[in-house]
Amino acid sequence: MKKKAQISNATPSQIFAESVSNVPHAVLLELPKEEHVKRTIRNHRGYNDPSKPASRKELVIEGDWCLYGEKRFLLNDNGPDANERVLIFATDSGLSLLASSNTWFIDGNFGLAPEYFN
């Protein structure tokens, strides 16, 4: 039976350090360079990611991509056919913090948005 890969939020450096912490020195000498192993970890993380959509119409967010862990994260999406596409992401605990706050600070980091949202 094939062992299912375990997902980690640790950085590649943390994963590498934890993995080699109890490895004998003679074995460490035979391993690839640390930077090569960390690059492989970064590359592997993207294997199951969906391909980048070419337009807003192709962007469909569903299933696990709507969740943060086991909890909802995508609160609203007015759909790929909307002229003004609006996606709202938040956790319920984040909404509770906003509801109890007197002041909100907002950062529209549009530099990270895909080009078809600009």
Side-chain angles (χ1 to χ4, degrees), residues 11 14 30 34 55 74 80 87-88 97 101 105 107 109 115:
T11 66
Q14 292 168 327
E30 300 297 322
E34 179 179 349
S55 68
L74 176 61
L87 302 164
I88 301 174
L97 287 172
S101 299
F105 295 94
D107 177 19
N109 196 338
E115 52 278 354

Side-chain angles (χ1 to χ4, degrees), residues 12-28:
S13 294
Q14 292 168 327
I15 293 169
F16 182 83
E18 184 180 321
S19 298
V20 300
S21 63
N22 294 320
V23 174
H25 183 71
V27 173
L28 289 175

Side-chain angles (χ1 to χ4, degrees), residues 24-74:
H25 183 71
V27 173
L28 289 175
L29 293 174
E30 300 297 322
L31 290 177
K33 292 183 179 181
E34 179 179 349
E35 272 311 306
H36 296 171
V37 174
K38 291 191 292 190
R39 182 177 54 227
T40 300
I41 293 168
R42 285 190 294 274
N43 291 340
H44 186 71
R45 284 189 165 164
Y47 284 164
N48 293 321
D49 290 355
S51 59
K52 181 180 173 184
S55 68
R56 284 181 288 162
K57 284 198 175 287
E58 290 181 17
L59 178 63
V60 177
I61 304 172
E62 57 191 11
D64 288 343
W65 296 101
C66 297
L67 304 173
Y68 180 74
E70 299 287 323
K71 299 179 180 177
R72 75 179 180 142
F73 186 58
L74 176 61

